[in-house]
Structures are given as C-alpha cells and as structure tokens.
Amino acid sequence: MMMSKMRLLFGLICCVGIAHAQDEIVDKEAEKALRTSTNITYEANEELTSNDFPMAEANYRKAISKSKKNVAAPFNLGNAYYNRESYGEAFGRYKMASESTEEKPAKHKAYHNMGNVYMKRKEYQQAVEAYKQALRSNPNDDETRYNLALAKKMLEKEQNDQQNDQNQDNKDNQDQQDQDKDQNQDQNNEGDKDKQDEGEQNEDENKDKGEEGENGEDKPEENQKGDGDEKKEQEKKPNQGDQPDEQEQKQQPRPNQLSEQQIQNLLEAMQNEEKKVQEKMEAMKVKGKKIRNEKDW
C-alpha cells in the first residue's frame, strides 16, 4: 500500500516536472521568436527611414508573422500606412497592436492613433471613444486630451449642421408644398374665372338674341308675322280679362262640348218635336180651312 502511494506521488512529480520543462521550452521558443521578430522590425525601420516602403512593409509583415507579442511591428506598420494616407490599413494595424499587449503605454499609443484615424475619416463619435480609451491607459497625456476636446467640438458642430440641414429640408419641403398649393389655387381661380367669363359671354349672346327677336330680326321665316297678321291673331283671341287661364280651361269643360249621351238625347228630343209638328200638320189638313164670320157695321 505504501509502495503504491509512493509510486503515484513519484508519477505526479514526474508529470509536473515534464510540464514545467515543456513550458520552459515553449517560453524559450517564444522568446527566441520575439527576438527574431524584433530584429526584423529594426530592419524594417531602417528601410522605412530610407524611403524603401515596399521592403519595409514586407519586413514588418514578416516580423508580425514571427511573433504575435511584437507590438512594435504592427504599430510601426500602421504609422507607415497612416503617413501614406492608407487610413483603413493603418487602423487595422493599430487595432492589432492594442490587442497584442497588456502594457498601458503601448495600449495608450495604439488607441491614440486609432482616434487620429477616426478624425481623418470624420468619424468624430468613434474618435471621441478612442481618445477616451487612450486616456484610461494614460490620463496625463496632454496631446490626447487636446485631441479629445477637438473631437467633441467637431462632433457637436456635425450634429448642429445635421440639425440645421434637417430644418432646412423641412422648410424647403414646406415651401414647396405652399408653392404647389398656391399654384393649384391659381389654377382653380383661373378655371373659375374662365367659367364665369364664358357664362357672361353666353348671357350676353342670349341677351343679344332676345333683342334681335324683339326687333323681328333673324327670326325663322315661319315665326315672322306682319302687322295685319298680328291684328288678326288679336281678334281671334278672346278678351284676356274674360278668358280663364290654361289650367282652368283644362279643368272645366267647355259649354259647346257635349258628351255622346247628351248629343243622343238632343237628337231624340228634336225628332220628337219634329214628329209632333208633322202630326199637327196632318190634323189641320183633315179639318180643312176655318170659316171666318164677317160682321156688318
């Protein structure tokens, strides 16, 4: 039992020793890679100073690939891009540098330069946040505080300009609506005036036609009458005072208008009268002439 525990303990010690040894190997390899990367970075710095940007860019990329812990390589490459106004590439390298270290001075520089890129791209809200992040790593940097104040001022101006533009757009839209409304009103007024003028013209034409009719001019031939015809027409017409109006004529039967039954009765009465007369004539013929007695005076 004791031997088993001792073997287990010995095994654990061996494992810990092996792991420690492996960590030492890894650390040594990382340190070696970092030294190699740093040496390549120095070469790139020299080439960049000599204005040999293509070789400097290639060596910076090579240094970055050798060690992720090398903060100087991406930071210096970002500066090279920034000076050549390749702000998108510069931002990416500054961001890589900020993620490659926990050291506050290095983080401060990376975020400060990220803020500068945002300022170049007129992204003032992001610039404010980047400068704030830089000041968290180094609150005493006057240049970062100045840039932060400038970014805030530019952001406020941008917001005011946007508000003014929005107000101007609203005013322009309102003016356009008012103009369209006025144009529609003018068109409606013109249309009403044209209709009114047309109505007045038609009224004048009708008035002229009426006057022409009263003067006997331009009448149709069938309606033209002379003075004699007009007098005859007046003689044919009954007195207006004694004549019932048209509505009363339609409602009351005329005196000389008889119904069929009335006509039949009248005919029968006339026949009866004629028959009586004939009977009297026949009676007189039978009796003869009456003798008149003459008196002597």
Side-chain angles (χ1 to χ4, degrees), residues 12-259:
L12 292 174
I13 293 173
C14 291
C15 290
V16 172
I18 293 172
H20 182 69
Q22 288 177 347
D23 290 340
E24 289 182 353
I25 294 172
V26 171
D27 291 340
K28 288 180 179 180
E29 290 179 355
E31 290 177 2
K32 182 179 179 180
L34 180 57
R35 286 196 298 268
T36 304
S37 176
T38 302
N39 292 333
I40 298 173
T41 303
Y42 289 148
E43 295 177 4
N45 292 341
E46 293 294 332
E47 292 164 349
L48 187 62
T49 304
S50 302
N51 294 324
D52 190 356
F53 177 78
M55 287 299 299
E57 182 184 22
N59 281 326
Y60 282 134
R61 289 179 179 273
K62 185 178 178 180
I64 293 170
S65 65
K66 289 291 183 179
S67 176
K68 299 299 181 182
K69 293 183 177 181
N70 185 358
V71 181
F75 183 83
N76 290 352
L77 181 58
N79 287 341
Y81 285 133
Y82 184 90
N83 292 331
R84 296 177 70 87
E85 298 182 356
S86 298
Y87 300 119
E89 294 285 347
F91 182 84
R93 297 304 174 180
Y94 292 142
K95 189 173 185 297
M96 181 183 294
S98 68
E99 295 171 350
S100 300
T101 183
E102 295 298 328
E103 296 179 0
K104 290 186 177 181
K107 278 187 172 295
H108 166 257
K109 292 180 180 180
Y111 278 109
H112 179 96
N113 285 7
M114 289 168 64
N116 291 347
V117 172
Y118 282 129
M119 290 292 287
K120 288 291 185 181
R121 296 194 298 198
K122 297 182 179 180
E123 298 174 0
Y124 302 118
Q125 183 63 56
Q126 291 87 336
V128 169
E129 297 302 324
Y131 290 134
K132 286 182 178 180
Q133 191 66 28
L135 287 173
R136 290 187 181 100
S137 298
N138 184 6
N140 298 321
D141 189 271
D142 293 337
E143 184 177 356
T144 304
R145 284 202 303 269
Y146 174 83
N147 289 1
L148 176 60
L150 180 61
K152 287 182 177 179
K153 184 176 181 180
M154 297 301 295
L155 177 61
E156 183 179 359
K157 182 177 182 299
E158 180 183 59
Q159 293 173 346
N160 291 335
D161 291 342
Q162 290 176 353
Q163 185 63 41
N164 292 334
D165 292 341
Q166 183 65 36
N167 294 337
Q168 184 64 38
D169 291 340
N170 294 336
K171 184 178 182 301
D172 293 341
N173 292 334
Q174 185 63 41
D175 292 342
Q176 184 64 40
Q177 291 178 1
D178 294 341
Q179 184 178 359
D180 295 340
K181 184 177 180 180
D182 293 340
Q183 289 179 353
N184 293 333
Q185 185 65 34
D186 292 341
Q187 292 176 357
N188 293 334
N189 292 338
E190 290 178 0
D192 294 340
K193 186 177 183 301
D194 293 339
K195 290 181 180 179
Q196 183 179 0
D197 294 342
E198 184 177 356
E200 292 177 355
Q201 182 178 1
N202 293 335
E203 185 178 353
D204 293 340
E205 291 178 355
N206 293 333
K207 184 177 179 181
D208 294 340
K209 289 181 180 179
E211 292 176 354
E212 290 174 357
E214 291 178 0
N215 295 330
E217 297 177 359
D218 296 335
K219 277 189 176 182
E221 185 177 352
E222 58 191 16
N223 292 332
Q224 291 181 357
K225 296 180 181 179
D227 295 337
D229 294 335
E230 215 173 287
K231 185 176 180 180
K232 291 178 181 179
E233 290 293 330
Q234 291 292 336
E235 291 176 355
K236 290 180 181 179
K237 292 182 181 179
N239 190 354
Q240 295 294 333
D242 299 334
Q243 182 180 4
D245 59 14
E246 184 179 357
Q247 185 66 24
E248 292 178 351
Q249 289 179 2
K250 289 182 180 180
Q251 293 177 354
Q252 299 178 0
R254 296 178 182 179
N256 59 354
Q257 273 189 339
L258 300 177
S259 65

Side-chain angles (χ1 to χ4, degrees), residues 261-274:
Q261 185 63 39
Q262 289 174 338
I263 293 173
Q264 183 66 29
N265 294 336
L266 183 61
L267 289 175
E268 289 179 358
M270 292 174 65
Q271 289 176 359
N272 291 332
E273 291 294 331
E274 186 178 358

